[in-house]
Amino acid sequence: MTTDRSVAAASLRGGLLAAIFLMATSAIGPGFITQTATFTARMGSAFAFAILASILIDFVVQLNIWRITALTGKRASETANAAIPGAGYLLTALVVIGGLAFNVGNIAGAGLGLNAMLGLDPKIGGALSAALAIGIFLSKRAGLLLDRMIIGLGVVMILLTIFVAFQSNPPVGEALRQSIWPDAIDFATITTIVGGTVGGYITYSGAHRLLDKGLTGERNLAAVTRAALTGIAVTGVMRFVLFLAILGVVASGVTLDLSSQAANPAAQAFQVAAGEWGLRVFGVVLWAAALTSVIGAAYTSVSFLDVLGVRTDRSRNMATVAFITFSLVVYLALGTAPAAILVFVGGFNGLILPIGLTIFTYIGYARSDLMGGHRYNRGLLALGAIVCALTWYMGFRSFSTIFAFLTV
């Protein structure tokens, strides 16, 4: 009896840890790293406000999505269809399109990472990374490999970034002040960074991993809530650490190149902070962030295809391979600078975020029947409604600016 309980507890911890790191590594992808470098170079300490805003929005969005998904026991697309006929198909189309756009950026980020690490041509590096991700999903132990790789690379990424942040000696006090009282507020910047950390597929990545681990229903709600809060805290710390690492370089008077086709502002910042070794460290960080995000984007986007009949492990793995392959072909065919892609896709997914959030807010308020009769927490729903309205407003204000990133 004791052994059975121990096994069950270990399984619960393993499932929660897998969901936490899938969400965290998806949120801290190459898009966020490149966006952070780009906007820190442009705005300096004032960008701290956008970071804080993204974390607060993240708390509200992830808590509601994870909890409602656990209560319904169904993937977001199926839940949306049950709540509003046809809404699941709309959400699936948006998430898959956004996931493809994001994955093009993720593969671009993997190419940039291997370029910084080993000097490989970015397109060759992107192709090799995509091939590795495909190999994971073709493996007979895909689920175990997925969990272990994401957790391992996530830990490496966080530790290396903390080291570089210490090396760059950022103005922490000024950053903290401007996180509350910024010199400037840019809605396109906030929408882009929100989209890059919680928009599109990222919103549902951890929640869907919990479903695969069987962590559903009201009995698991407290554990799911703790896991969501832990994941958001981890990503929040990582976001500020990365921002501080780059801010220290910018504040020292170094001007990062944002204009040339080959510009890689985050790589420049790491190199200034820690020399040639810093450039290699950046390569490892960016590649780890990119590879885990390639896997997370593919896994989560394909999980939405349940409503189209893609339900067996084999069909999901084949769809995932096709998803990654298509993303790679698009990346290889594009002439846009990789850094520009990485900034744009965050903004694009930020425009998708309010649609899914609107559907789930409605479910929380009006469809307790889909949650086993559970009366959902009204305080969280009120916060969700406020964030939902805010993301619609920011998306409206920043639509044209976000698409202009592609011309950079």
Side-chain angles (χ1 to χ4, degrees):
M1 186 72 171
T2 303
T3 302
D4 291 342
R5 287 179 178 175
S6 299
V7 171
S11 178
L12 175 63
R13 286 194 300 272
L16 294 173
L17 192 62
I20 287 169
F21 270 87
L22 183 62
M23 183 267 279
T25 53
S26 294
I28 310 167
F32 175 74
I33 291 172
T34 304
Q35 292 155 18
T36 298
T38 301
F39 293 133
T40 303
R42 290 176 180 171
M43 301 177 66
S45 297
F47 183 56
F49 179 80
I51 297 284
L52 180 60
S54 77
I55 293 171
L56 295 176
I57 290 172
D58 201 355
F59 266 103
V60 175
V61 172
Q62 295 286 10
L63 269 177
N64 281 310
I65 297 296
W66 282 42
R67 285 165 55 89
I68 291 174
T69 298
L71 288 167
T72 63
K74 296 180 179 179
R75 299 187 189 278
S77 51
E78 295 176 307
T79 301
N81 259 353
I84 307 170
Y89 297 117
L90 171 64
L91 191 58
T92 296
L94 291 172
V95 168
V96 171
I97 291 170
L100 283 169
F102 228 123
N103 229 27
V104 173
N106 291 334
I107 292 173
L112 288 173
L114 286 180
N115 174 260
M117 195 192 327
L118 303 172
L120 279 180
D121 179 276
K123 291 195 173 182
I124 294 174
L128 291 174
S129 301
L132 177 57
I134 288 171
I136 290 170
F137 283 103
L138 289 177
S139 168
K140 292 181 180 179
R141 305 180 71 189
L144 182 62
L145 281 174
L146 172 67
D147 292 343
R148 289 186 176 177
M149 177 164 280
I150 284 176
I151 292 170
L153 290 177
V155 171
V156 168
M157 183 169 57
I158 291 169
L159 292 177
L160 288 176
T161 306
I162 290 173
F163 167 76
V164 174
F166 275 106
Q167 290 290 107
S168 73
N169 192 29
V172 177
E174 177 64 10
L176 291 175
R177 181 188 72 81
Q178 296 228 36
S179 66
I180 304 298
W181 195 261
D183 292 341
I185 298 176
D186 187 322
F187 284 109
T189 297
I190 297 173
T191 302
T192 298
I193 209 69
V194 166
T197 55
V198 73
Y201 78 91
I202 298 170
T203 309
Y204 311 97
S205 57
H208 282 192
R209 195 64 182 152
L210 288 177
L211 291 183
D212 284 349
K213 298 292 184 179
L215 299 172
T216 60
E218 194 165 353
R219 69 186 182 281
N220 286 310
L221 193 58
V224 168
T225 301
R226 286 194 301 271
L229 291 172
T230 302
I232 298 161
V234 169
T235 58
V237 170
M238 178 62 177
R239 289 175 206 174
F240 260 110
V241 169
L242 178 66
F243 161 66
L244 291 173
I246 296 168
L247 179 63
V249 172
V250 173
S252 71
V254 174
T255 301
L256 302 181
D257 176 20
L258 303 178
S259 59
S260 71
Q261 288 289 300
N264 190 343
Q268 299 168 43
F270 272 62
Q271 187 171 21
V272 170
E276 189 65 22
W277 193 79
L279 180 63
R280 307 305 172 199
V281 167
F282 167 78
V284 175
V285 170
L286 185 62
W287 182 77
L291 184 61
T292 52
S293 293
V294 167
I295 293 169
Y299 163 82
T300 310
S301 297
V302 168
S303 72
F304 272 76
L305 300 181
D306 275 25
V307 293
L308 302 179
V310 181
R311 295 179 183 276
T312 67
D313 288 343
R314 177 174 171 76
S315 62
R316 284 176 183 165
N317 285 344
M318 291 301 100
T320 303
V321 169
F323 184 92
I324 296 172
T325 302
F326 181 78
S327 303
L328 174 61
V329 170
V330 173
Y331 163 61
L332 294 175
L334 279 175
T336 309
I341 296 173
L342 292 170
V343 175
F344 165 75
V345 292
F348 182 77
N349 278 277
L351 299 176
I352 294 173
L353 173 62
I355 297 173
L357 190 53
T358 299
I359 295 170
F360 270 77
T361 301
Y362 163 72
I363 292 169
Y365 270 115
R367 297 303 304 269
S368 62
D369 58 309
L370 297 178
M371 299 182 288
H374 179 87
R375 187 178 188 276
Y376 196 78
N377 185 293
R378 268 18 196 187
L380 280 177
L381 279 178
L383 290 174
I386 293 169
V387 168
C388 187
L390 179 62
T391 53
W392 276 112
Y393 174 73
M394 291 192 303
F396 176 77
R397 285 285 304 269
S398 56
F399 185 88
S400 59
T401 304
I402 287 168
F403 278 87
F405 287 138
L406 282 179
T407 64
V408 174

